[in-house]
Every structure is written in structure tokens, then in C-alpha cells.
Amino acid sequence: MDDDPVVETGFTSRTAVEPPEPFVEQANVDESDVAAFDASWPECWRRAADLLEWETPTDEVIDRTGDRVSWFPDGRLNAAYNCVDRHLAERKNQAAIKWVGKRGETRTYTYLDLYHEVNEFAAALRSLGIEADDVVTLYMPAIPELPVAMLACARIGAPHNVVFAGFSAQALAERMDRAGSELLVTCDGYYRRGNAVHQKNKADNARIMASQEVSDIVVVDRLGDEEVHLGDGYHDYDELVADHHGAEVEPVTREADDELFVIYTSGTTGQPSGIRHTTGGYLAHAAWTSHAVLDLKPDDTYWCSADIGWITGHTYLVYGPLALGTTTMLYEGVPDHPEKDRVWELIERNAVDVFYTAPTAIRAFIKWGADHPDAHDLSSLRLLGTVGEPINADAWWWYYEHVGNGECPIVDTWWQTETGSILVSTVPGVDEMKPGSAGPPLPGIDATVVDETGESVAPETGGYLTVTKPWPGMPLDLPADGEPDDEDWRYVTEDAARIDDDGYVTVLGRIDDTVTVQGHRLGTMELESAIADVEGVAEAAIVDVQTPGGGSTVHAFVSTDEGHKGVDGLRERITANVERTIGSFATPGVVVFTPELPKTRSGKLLRRLLKDIASGQELGDTSALRNPEIVGEIESALDGE
Ligand code: 6R9
């Protein structure tokens, strides 16, 4: 390895970086593990299952004879038992969850504390009539009661449905209805940049909007400073837990294929779709990748900065690290409050070993300046990770140098809500890293890039990223092509990618109609209809535009009804409606008004052209347009922004 790869290689994108030797020496997974794993598919996955404690160990690794693929088909286990109880013997006094609240307060749950509260809340859920297979909706920010409630659900076999706290009442009602959920756990409110957000009001409204009757609402007292009026059907979390003080609830035995949770994600349709993850395959895959890719060890303090409301928070803040008996940090605040060095201060103060974040956060750190991380002692860090979108080589190098001090490997992990856990990444103690490229498919994972006809393309050629063998973390009802036992069974991922001669996958971005807004995946149709519903708006088109720093900004192009052009307040009403139907986090970065959207003669909206206009690209042939004159108008409207 070069003495100083950063200085030696500079900021080029194609340079390969060897993992630092001190890391390699202590890594959970080495070359021989990888070779052994690669040699025996699907048997290799038994190793992932072996990281868990099964009530009935699994005989078979995979069953492809039914109408869907089943992993560890005869195994039985309980996820909460695996994430809590089994660690008591060795680490009951070790921190399981270290929480840092919005106002600097901290709370630590040892594994024993977690055991008690999970049991007590599980008993409380039972007292409210919740049994195995009843769906419980959880609508909370980053407070410890959220993972506690998830594990309490898992303990009694009730799938949870975590809804991101930033979603609006309407979005919450829709997700409760779709999941058929009768019980909601929320909080009175929380602080966002110093202001109290009244979460319970949103929950109250969702209860009114939902078609499904929401019979009970449990409310966590987060604000603590006022008496919250709880009416009929409302229960105070602390009182419920106190009422069940000391309760112990036998973990409910689940089949490997029983649903652990449902999570809603945006896809190609205008509606969010529910992805249901399994108990055995999902947890095994989450634990295995936390072990092999994030290199977690029980005595690590680990920080995943994702919100639990998204899949990354489920898998790599809660289930993966707790399955391995690690200390997982939960941070309620934002990265630049009270100061822009907040993240580095927390890493230093808590001696964080492994830090997992998103490229969008890294780009913000870069903007705020290297002085912030440079001013802190980050030497506790051993490994860094990224997830959520491609990381450009410059951001990769900044992260490597200023956060990792050239001593920590970076794992650029590719996966999706649908995959449950990481599928593509370097194995940090084994593979060299190529900044800008996620890495090879993990051992046990087969992926290829195909063209429109489904044929694999030559190396370095762009196409559709396709996973060609099942993996344990696959959800129930995966939209896969082919019968479960077909040789050519495959899952087409909705991502464009290319693969180089060494098998490294570079992800180019989504090919479906989804956009990333503040790091969260949203459907263009969800956003477009939230805008088009506003009085005075005729049509809306959403496009994601790359910004020079490697990020992207969501542009909304809005055509207005006659007479509404330039009417005061339209922009504000659009923002308000996006906030009402989806949530304020989803507001587009740029809104451009235009008399018409560019359409082909057959009436098809040309999003591509809008994207080119917005990113200042050379425009191709616009002769297919029915209204070519509109291009100039949109360009000048955009200039006025
Ligand atoms: C885990 C998560 C999934 C989409 C996925 C892809 C993008 C995720 C990435 C990445 C490039 C990476 N994505 N990780 N793109 N490099 N390392 O983010 O799930 O919210 O479902 O989004 O995110 O486009 O298809 P989800």
C-alpha cells in the first residue's frame, strides 16, 4: 500500500485504494472467509443464519419449490430475542442504545434496560389487544421509544409499520390504511431546530382521515413541558409501561418467513408500496452484512446517522447492530446545530468506532469546511460507510482524508428498501476500494447489468442492474421475473449501472420515476399530484437535477391555468400542499412557472428535456415537440429563479 494514498494519487476517480493494513489485521471477514463463502451457494448463507440464535435451527437453506423463494424454511426464531435476550448473559450492563437528544440530553439503555422496557411495552401492547400478525404503526422521531416499540412488536410477532415522523397526517393515514393498522404509537411532539413540532396533532388528524378505525393511540411524552390532553382511546406511554412494570413476555416463535415489518416506499406508481420483510432471512442478512461489511463488533460504539423511518435505520441502526450485541447510537438532532461540528464532537465524545452516513450529508460537511472535522480527535474511527446515492470521487476522498485520516476503509454500500440489506459493497478487510464505484456484489450475491432485451452487456457498458440469484434479505412479494426455481430468476432493480473488468459496480442512478429529496426516495407522481391538486395549477413535472458538487436539486415545472400566471401566493400554496400531503421535507428546491409543459405531438411529457434545460445542457433535437417555442420561455423563467 502507498504510504499516503491521498497525497500520492490525488483526487482522481479511477484510483484503487488498498484497505489500510491495521484495519485488515483485525477485520471480521478475511480473504479465506470470502473464498469459502463464494465456493458454495446457497449453503454459504448458512453462515449468516449462524450469527443468530434459532429456536429451531434451519435444515434447509433455501426452498425454491413453492410459489415464492423461502430462506431457512424450517427455521424458527424471534427477532427481539436475538436482538436483546441472548446478549444478557455476556453484556447485560453494556450499552445497547446510546441516545443523544435534541437539546443535548442523553439516555443510555443497557441490554438489561432494553430487555425490561421491551418486555413491559410488549405486555402493554398485548393489554391493548395486539396479537401476532396485527400491524402496529409507529410514528416517532429519533427517540429510544421507537426502537423499543419495534422490538416489543417483534417480541409478540406483530409486524411494525414505521412511518417517517416528517410525513404529513395524510401520508400517515394512507400508510395506516394500506397496512390495515389499528394501533398507532406516536409522541406529543419533538424539537426541530429549536422549535416544537406537534406530532400528536398530525396523528389526531390522521386518525380522522383514516378509513380504517384506529382504536388506540399510544403517546410518548417527548416535550415534557406541558400536559397533553389525551382523550378517548389515547394512552400515555410511560403510564402503560409503569402499569406493566416487571412484566416478562415470552418471545413468540416465528417461522423464518413470517413478516417482521412492513415499510412503505415510493416506486413507479403514484402510490407508496408496502415492502414486507421476513423474520429469518432479513435478520440473518442484516446481521451478516453488519458483521462482514460494517465490521461491527460487540464492544463497538457505532453510529448510523439515518432516520429509523427509512430502511437504513431499520436494518443498520436497529436490527443489524443489536443482533450482534453492539452499542448503537441514536441521535435526535441535526448535524449543524448548535454548531457545524456537531457530528465530529459526538464522534469524539462517544469514541465512535464505525460511522455510516449518506453522501448528501458528506457534501454538506464539505461545504461547511474541513476545519470542523480537523479540529476534533476522530482517531476512534475504524471504518466509514455511505449509503443512499452514488458518492462522487471528490466527496469520497474528502471523507477518507478529513474524517478517516487515511486510516479507515470506506464501504460504499448499494442496496434498496426492497433488498432489505446491503448487496453490493467492498468487503472492507479484503477488497481494494475504487472511489466512485460501490464495489463488487458481496459474496453470495450475483448481479449483472443487462440491456433492454435482458442480455448481459459488456464490461463498462451502462444498463439495468439486475440481481440474478435470490438473497436472504429479500422481501415477501418481491417483484421478480421468472419462477422461483428458474435458473433465470432475476430481480431488476430500477437502477442504471455499469460493471468494470474487475466486477466493480458503478451505480448511475434510478431509471424509474423516483427522485431523491433530502436523501429520501419519493415518487415523481406523488409529488406531481400534490402540486397539480393546487387550484390554479394545470400540470406539474418533477425532475431531479445534478448540482456541480455531486448532489441534486428537485425542480418542479408548473404550468398554470389561464389567469393564474404570476398570481401571488401560488408558490406558497404549492409548498403548503406538498407539506400537507407528503410532509415539509418533500418541498421541491426550485419551482418554475411556465404557461405549458413541453410535450410531444402525441402528448407525452418530455421530462428529459426539462432535465437538460434545468441543468444547462446542450439541448438535442426539439423537433418532436408540439410546442417548441416553450423551451425559450422555460429557460428565461428559470433564469429568473
Ligand atoms: C438503502 C436505500 C434505494 C436507491 C437505490 C439507488 C440508491 C442506495 C446507493 C445508491 C448509489 C449507493 N442507492 N445506495 N446509489 N450508490 N451506495 O437507500 O434504500 O431508500 O430504497 O433507495 O438508492 O438508486 O435504488 P432506498
Side-chain angles (χ1 to χ4, degrees), residues 265 310-312 356 359 386-391 412-419 424 438 493-495 507-510 516 519-521:
T265 189
W310 309 100
I311 190 70
T312 304
Y356 191 34
T386 77
V387 57
E389 39 178 335
I391 177 163
D412 174 359
T413 62
W414 178 90
W415 59 294
Q416 310 175 305
T417 308
E418 292 85 344
T419 71
V424 176
T493 68
E494 307 286 353
D495 271 351
V507 179
L508 305 168
R510 300 278 301 187
T516 301
H520 307 315
R521 179 172 142 196

Side-chain angles (χ1 to χ4, degrees), residues 25-38:
E25 280 162 18
Q26 61 77 62
N28 283 345
V29 167
D30 65 18
E31 244 163 78
S32 66
D33 295 317
V34 168
F37 209 101
D38 277 338

Side-chain angles (χ1 to χ4, degrees), residues 464-517:
Y464 305 94
L465 182 60
T466 302
V467 187
T468 49
K469 277 199 183 115
W471 64 95
M474 57 191 279
L476 299 162
D477 337 305
L478 179 78
D481 295 339
E483 294 303 312
D485 57 349
D486 275 1
E487 264 302 294
D488 55 4
W489 179 97
R490 54 185 49 203
Y491 165 61
V492 185
T493 68
E494 307 286 353
D495 271 351
R498 57 166 191 265
I499 299 187
D500 73 8
D501 285 322
D502 299 326
Y504 278 55
V505 178
T506 298
V507 179
L508 305 168
R510 300 278 301 187
I511 49 170
D512 64 359
D513 290 331
T514 61
V515 288
T516 301
V517 189

Side-chain angles (χ1 to χ4, degrees), residues 113-175:
D113 296 333
L114 189 59
Y115 173 81
H116 286 310
E117 196 159 321
V118 166
N119 272 280
E120 287 158 1
F121 194 58
L125 288 173
R126 280 253 175 90
S127 75
L128 296 173
I130 300 299
E131 294 296 337
D133 298 319
D134 293 342
V135 177
V136 177
T137 300
L138 309 177
Y139 182 54
M140 285 179 266
I143 53 177
E145 288 81 356
L146 177 52
V148 167
M150 291 163 81
L151 293 165
C153 288
R155 191 166 195 90
I156 60 174
H160 53 70
N161 168 33
V162 178
V163 177
F164 172 57
F167 271 123
S168 66
Q170 188 175 320
L172 169 63
E174 194 174 313
R175 283 159 180 76

Side-chain angles (χ1 to χ4, degrees), residues 139 167-177 202 205-206 209-210 530 533 577 579-583:
Y139 182 54
F167 271 123
S168 66
Q170 188 175 320
L172 169 63
E174 194 174 313
R175 283 159 180 76
M176 286 196 294
D177 277 345
K202 290 198 283 177
N205 290 336
M209 289 172 187
D533 283 348
N577 206 45
E579 285 181 5
R580 190 178 62 76
T581 52
I582 306 174

